Amino acid sequence: MAPDNRRLQGPESTFSYTLYIPNNRTDHNVVEQISSDERRKDGRKLNEQRRIYVKTGVVSQAKGSAYIEQSNTKVVCSVFDPREIPRKSGYSVNGELYCEFKFAPFSCIQWRSHQPDAFEKECSLILRRSLEPAVCRHEFPNFQVDVYALVLENDGSALAAAITCAALALADASVPMYDLVVAATLGVHGDKKFMDPTVEEESLCNILPPDGRSRNHGIITAAFSPAHQQMSEFAQSGAMDIDCATSSIQLLREACESIYLLSQQCLLKGVTKMLKKKQKEIKLDLSSDRIAC
Amino acid sequence: MAEILLSEAEKTFILHGVEEGFRCDGRMRLDYRPMEVETDVVSHASGSARLRLANTDILVGVKTEIDTPYPERPREGKIEFFVDCSANATPAFEGRGGEELGTEISNSLATAYQSSQTFDLTALCILPGQQCWKLYIDILILECGGNLFDAVSLAVKAALHNTRVPKVKGACLDGGTVDLQLSDDPYDCCRLDVSDAPCLVTLCKIGDHCVVDPTAEEETCSSGSVVIAITEKSLVTSVFKTGVGSFHPQTLIDILKVGQTIGLSVNKALRAALLEEEQQGRKKECFGFLK
């Protein structure tokens, strides 16, 4: 829904019923699960990612689109044709990328409003910053390419999934690019590093760990282009010491390299499917010509 | 940011200078420009500060208001940042022009102050679940001369240091409504603990090296910068990249390490300046906006 900038939303007086559920503190359960046998609640090891499914060409009305599923996190991304930059009079040598990241109102545990809030606006900025270095902006001067990412279900690492999905959608839309961008998320809590955290683990990483060996906590989302070995975005929140931040760069890089192979395969599949379809169409045209004459 | 038009020759000049370790105004790569900070410039605000970093001029006002805490966090107060890029700074900010930049800066501050290790929101609680203090931190960009993130974060830290929250002597729940008793003495206030508040450090990548505190011209020459929020205890609370460039992972690691050392020294310098200003007490010369 388009944001209505002239209307000021009054404060919402509704809140989630989960507040009244006794013993709703899930963070203790998550920590207990790990300390028993080094495996997380869903059976993964600390540095294991969830299984990913990607597909391009899902939205028929968009120039290019992609859909990604990372276990329960589902994101769909559409890219539209370049159009003139609205509200701009001067000429710009490079094209612009307009990115919008939105959670569907039913996607998270708590209801999200239709108007984008501050967190969604920040995610839109991060999405744009991750994709801009990879797009050949000089190929469409004075034009803007729209990228819309919608999270249908949020089970953690929605932003990283959206970045990977958006890069595939851009490639599917035939926007000239230097390389595909892939992204991964790392959650830090105390001295444990969760690769590809679920929504429970993410909320755990936003809280200060109890007095223990280390008081590091936070979430890091990093976007990487493996062909040129360039990190296009590194967004960290929380509080951690510098060694934790620098060591996570290597972990995220390895995770991104493995996702990159999947992205490439998906794109290849999309292209071969399109070529086969074209071949079939050419054959049908020829046969229909024979029938006509 | 204002449109700075530079010729190719000027850009090459800056680039080569940075590689040699010299910048156009005579600084080394990791030197800051001289900064002036003054607190308590706005009389109606609970806390205020004005910071001048060469051409960049930032004014921060902190207002304390009473609000109800979030239902899922009943023992915490609230803090909200708002950045107003006024048209005074540059004509590009006229109307809605400065909104995007303003949202970016306020979001970055909100992320940097999010962790309870940086700013303890439980200190702002009055009556758990019923009433808490809400700090409205309003930042006005009066003049834009490059390096907004650093200047804004230092000014915010100085303003929070100066903030005086009225002391609540008693609070009782009287049939659904809260009755507060504030102290009779208007000067009886509590101060906020900003020892762990972070400072943002912008490291701008020009060529193969990174520079600290870039001027507006240097910012046009660079492909990207990394902004790090560092506390006095050397904790990284927020990292993000601005600009359209990308970094090699090793470069990113080096930039983070450099940022950490600089962040520590900037935090110390600000602390020393604020303590010195406080020690002057009544004898402090108020310059306000005259200087």
Side-chain angles (χ1 to χ4, degrees):
Chain A
M1 263 179 84
D4 187 356
N5 294 314
R6 285 162 296 186
R7 186 184 298 191
L8 278 169
Q9 292 280 24
E12 272 293 334
S13 55
T14 60
F15 50 90
S16 174
Y17 65 88
T18 48
L19 281 170
Y20 295 104
I21 299 176
N23 304 326
N24 198 30
R25 298 282 305 264
T26 52
D27 34 306
H28 292 301
N29 299 340
V30 181
V31 180
E32 269 163 27
Q33 195 75 16
I34 304 167
S35 50
S36 55
D37 58 349
E38 282 303 309
R39 282 198 175 251
R40 292 142 87 175
K41 214 166 173 186
D42 48 8
R44 287 187 284 156
K45 288 202 279 266
L46 282 175
N47 60 350
E48 205 180 310
Q49 283 192 303
R50 288 176 288 189
R51 295 170 74 92
I52 300 178
Y53 167 78
V54 268
K55 184 173 183 204
T56 53
V58 287
V59 178
S60 57
Q61 301 297 314
K63 178 93 191 285
S65 55
Y67 173 73
I68 188 169
E69 244 182 60
Q70 258 179 259
S71 165
N72 279 333
T73 303
K74 302 173 173 77
V75 185
V76 68
C77 186
S78 313
V79 171
F80 293 89
D81 278 300
R83 58 179 174 133
E84 280 202 12
I85 305 175
R87 287 176 262 121
K88 189 171 177 146
S89 47
Y91 181 82
S92 58
V93 174
N94 285 328
E96 263 182 35
L97 216 58
Y98 176 72
C99 294
E100 222 179 78
F101 177 90
K102 186 89 189 62
F103 282 108
F106 43 79
S107 56
C108 302
I109 294 173
Q110 287 181 327
W111 176 80
R112 283 203 107 100
S113 108
H114 297 286
Q115 312 278 49
D117 57 26
F119 181 65
E120 285 163 346
K121 286 199 187 127
E122 195 187 338
C123 291
S124 308
L125 266 174
I126 296 176
L127 181 62
R128 201 186 92 205
R129 287 189 217 134
S130 322
L131 297 170
E132 264 182 339
V135 172
C136 303
R137 286 155 68 231
H138 57 274
E139 297 275 351
F140 47 94
N142 213 34
F143 279 96
Q144 143 181 320
V145 169
D146 298 329
V147 179
Y148 299 106
L150 180 68
V151 181
L152 300 171
E153 193 177 333
N154 179 22
D155 192 23
S157 342
L159 182 56
I163 295 172
T164 314
C165 191
L168 272 170
L170 279 167
D172 187 47
S174 320
V175 170
M177 290 170 84
Y178 294 114
D179 188 14
L180 276 178
V181 181
V182 284
T185 320
L186 187 77
V188 176
H189 186 80
D191 46 7
K192 301 247 187 294
K193 294 204 173 101
F194 303 101
M195 178 58 74
D196 196 6
T198 60
V199 75
E200 260 181 1
E201 288 162 354
E202 264 184 3
S203 51
L204 176 69
C205 293
N206 277 328
I207 326 170
L208 199 60
D211 280 311
R213 270 171 295 173
S214 130
R215 305 206 86 196
N216 290 342
H217 71 102
I219 297 177
I220 306 178
T221 306
F224 192 61
S225 306
H228 298 279
Q229 293 290 305
Q230 294 280 305
M231 200 138 239
S232 52
E233 174 64 309
F234 185 83
Q236 181 257 342
S237 67
M240 53 183 77
D241 46 47
I242 199 86
D243 299 313
C244 184
T246 46
S247 55
S248 30
I249 294 178
Q250 183 56 25
L251 285 165
L252 284 161
R253 184 187 181 167
E254 282 162 7
C256 288
E257 304 254 1
S258 51
I259 308 176
Y260 186 61
L261 296 164
L262 275 167
S263 266
Q264 282 181 315
Q265 270 178 5
C266 170
L267 208 57
L268 207 61
K269 237 193 250 180
V271 170
T272 41
K273 200 167 107 180
M274 187 195 58
L275 285 173
K276 276 191 190 152
K277 207 167 92 175
K278 274 224 166 103
Q279 257 186 354
K280 237 192 241 177
E281 276 174 16
I282 293 172
K283 273 194 195 153
L284 282 171
D285 276 336
L286 288 170
S287 56
S288 67
D289 277 342
R290 270 188 235 129
I291 291 171
C293 66
Chain B
M1 220 77 77
E3 288 289 319
I4 303 274
L5 299 165
L6 285 182
S7 68
E8 287 304 316
E10 282 174 305
K11 282 188 189 161
T12 324
F13 183 73
I14 293 177
L15 197 77
H16 287 177
V18 168
E19 292 206 1
E20 301 280 324
F22 301 116
R23 290 158 76 171
C24 289
D25 44 11
R27 288 182 282 157
M28 303 294 280
R29 283 197 286 260
L30 304 176
D31 283 343
Y32 265 93
R33 287 170 290 183
M35 271 187 259
E36 281 170 18
V37 64
E38 192 183 342
T39 57
D40 213 14
V41 283
V42 177
S43 52
H44 286 296
S46 309
S48 59
R50 179 168 176 237
L51 187 126
R52 276 234 307 273
L53 179 64
N55 278 341
T56 308
D57 200 343
I58 313 282
L59 176 64
V60 178
V62 181
K63 294 279 278 181
T64 47
E65 305 249 316
I66 300 196
D67 196 9
T68 27
Y70 292 119
E72 63 268 14
R73 297 200 289 270
R75 289 177 188 279
E76 283 181 15
K78 297 180 186 175
I79 191 168
E80 195 175 302
F81 297 93
F82 179 70
V83 177
D84 183 19
C85 297
S86 87
N88 265 327
T90 155
F93 289 166
E94 168 256 344
R96 304 283 299 275
E99 202 182 306
E100 208 182 287
L101 181 63
T103 336
E104 196 177 344
I105 301 179
S106 44
N107 278 341
S108 58
L109 281 171
T111 319
Y113 276 81
Q114 185 195 29
S115 168
S116 49
Q117 279 199 291
T118 50
F119 191 75
D120 190 15
L121 287 169
T122 49
L124 295 174
C125 177
I126 305 172
L127 205 58
Q130 299 290 330
Q131 295 212 317
C132 65
W133 287 111
K134 181 165 184 182
L135 295 177
Y136 286 103
I137 303 179
D138 299 296
I139 299 144
L140 264 141
I141 299 184
L142 299 170
E143 209 181 327
C144 188
N147 203 17
L148 281 177
F149 288 101
D150 298 30
V152 166
S153 70
L154 288 167
V156 165
K157 188 168 178 179
L160 282 172
H161 181 263
N162 177 242
T163 306
R164 280 157 178 59
V165 178
K167 218 176 241 179
V168 178
K169 278 262 145 86
C172 57
L173 198 56
D174 190 8
T177 50
V178 183
D179 192 22
L180 287 180
Q181 284 160 320
L182 292 174
S183 150
D184 287 331
D185 181 6
Y187 292 102
D188 188 14
C189 309
C190 15
R191 303 281 294 272
L192 295 170
D193 179 22
V194 282
S195 54
D196 283 322
C199 283
L200 297 175
V201 176
T202 310
L203 286 135
C204 198
K205 185 157 178 283
I206 300 179
D208 283 332
H209 301 269
C210 53
V211 297
V212 150
D213 190 16
T215 59
E217 290 85 17
E218 285 166 345
E219 273 178 356
T220 351
C221 292
S222 87
S223 57
S225 354
V226 177
V227 181
I228 316 172
I230 302 267
T231 66
E232 248 170 72
K233 296 208 177 81
S234 192
L235 283 176
V236 177
T237 60
S238 168
V239 179
F240 58 95
K241 180 213 87 169
T242 56
V244 296
S246 53
F247 301 91
H248 191 271
Q250 190 52 45
T251 322
L252 193 62
I253 295 177
D254 296 333
I255 289 179
L256 288 177
K257 292 206 173 116
V258 168
Q260 184 201 19
T261 24
I262 296 183
L264 283 172
S265 52
V266 165
N267 265 309
K268 280 206 183 98
L270 181 70
R271 202 138 162 68
L274 289 172
L275 280 171
E276 194 191 314
E277 199 194 12
E278 218 174 298
Q279 269 168 357
Q280 286 181 340
R282 288 274 171 82
K283 288 177 265 165
K284 184 183 86 152
E285 284 179 79
C286 295
F287 292 105
F289 293 90
L290 295 172
K291 223 179 178 188

